[in-house]
Amino acid sequence: MPETTAVKFEVKYLQILDETGKADEKLMPKLSKEQILRMYELMVEGRIFDDILFKLQREGRVLTFAPGKGQEAAQVGSVLAMEKDDWIAPAFRENTAFIALGMPMDVIIQYWGGDERGNKMPDGINSLPVAIPVGGHITHAVGMAWAFKLQKKKSTMVCFFGDGASSKGDFYEGLNMAGVFKAPLVAICQNNQWAISVPVKQQTAAETLAQKAIAFGFEGIKVDGNDVFAMYKATKDALEKVKAGKGPVLIEAYTYRLSDHTTADDAGKYRDPQEVEEWKKKDPIDRLKKYMAKRKIWNENDEKKLLKSAKERVEAAVKAFEEMPEPKREDMFKYVFEKPTAQMEEQMK
Ligand SMILES: Cc1ncc(C[n+]2csc(CCOP(=O)(O)OP(=O)(O)O)c2C)c(N)n1
Ligand SMILES: [Mg+2]
């Protein structure tokens, strides 16, 4: 029997800003000088936040913390491409996305300080709470996106999750449904190469995570996740497509977790230090800085000023967090069920 091709697919890859700080002008999205500076400021602020929170945990001033070092471009680029009515569904490593979304840093720290009130989004912050169960929030995000469609709202869900989450049933169930119902969803898989100590090669035999979208019947694109311009453009294009009713988009942000999984982990036990060194050369912040220096819109004096002011902002947020009134002990029983069970009443007493 002669073989013919049933159907052919391709997965595109997008990089605009390379490791040397050179941008492909043909692909460059329209961004003002101010917007580019804002991207840089947010990425630097995210990194400083990360460094300070890591140290706070070591001093016992916050609980286990999940650092996002290395993933700043993936988060800032995508959040800045969003519009006012759009929503995010974060996993647990999206602190820089929160900062870019305008969430007050003391509230973010409150969450990591073990105070559940830090998971209550302030007015105007369109985000679901932090989702620790890996991949579980994908189905919620799809449900919400579908609801937006049924309610004829302009909003879109932007759902962040990791390479590890792509092995979960929630990922397949959620994205399959999103495809069938053409839910307004942009799914951003931050492939940071590791799920705690499990490398991405053990998550999938597929060449890319982006190509999984093909089986769901929508577009998947692989993007250099350490390139803030590419992440911005890919997200903006995806949002436009999704809002035009053309179905969801899956973006694989190809990036790297430069730090430990959390403060409870020691990545040195399972990762080759050489691999980390190679990825440091692709640092998203360094390459944007090189680009800005080339364009003469940034100098060492600007850098000094930013490092100082960003540190001051984070430190002020830490102080505000530490001065917050402590949560009431009984609150942990109050909001689990509509009415506490008899057993919970007894425990509370
Ligand atoms: C359902 C579930 N299983 C296991 C865990 C423990 N756990 C926390 S993070 C993680 C790995 C997640 O990897 P990935 O999705 O790649 O995200 P990353 O941590 O790299 O950002 C695991 C297994 C969990 N939180 N939830
Ligand atoms: Mg991962």
Side-chain angles (χ1 to χ4, degrees), residues 71-83:
Q71 297 176 220
E72 294 87 354
Q75 299 185 13
V76 168
S78 50
V79 169
L80 292 191
M82 287 166 51
E83 289 174 313

Side-chain angles (χ1 to χ4, degrees), residues 15 17 25 65 90 96 99 102 109 124 147-148 150 159 174 254 267 283 293 300 304 314 333-334 346:
Q15 185 198 56
L17 186 62
E25 293 304 331
F65 171 70
T96 302
I99 293 171
I109 303 171
F148 289 151
L150 295 175
C159 181
Y254 199 77
D283 190 298
E300 277 313 312
K304 242 197 250 160
V314 180
F333 296 98
K334 274 191 179 165
E346 195 188 318

Side-chain angles (χ1 to χ4, degrees), residues 79 82-90 97-98 101-103 121-129 144 148 155-158 160:
V79 169
M82 287 166 51
E83 289 174 313
K84 203 178 115 279
D85 295 328
D86 297 328
W87 277 69
I88 72 165
F98 282 147
L101 208 59
M103 183 139 155
M121 296 299 147
D123 284 347
I125 301 296
N126 292 345
S127 175
L128 294 187
M144 244 174 103
F148 289 151
S155 305
T156 298
M157 285 306 293
V158 176
F160 291 96

Side-chain angles (χ1 to χ4, degrees), residues 178-194:
V180 171
F181 291 97
K182 286 198 166 35
L185 175 87
V186 176
I188 301 186
C189 178
Q190 292 181 86
N191 176 1
N192 65 6
Q193 315 301 324
W194 291 89

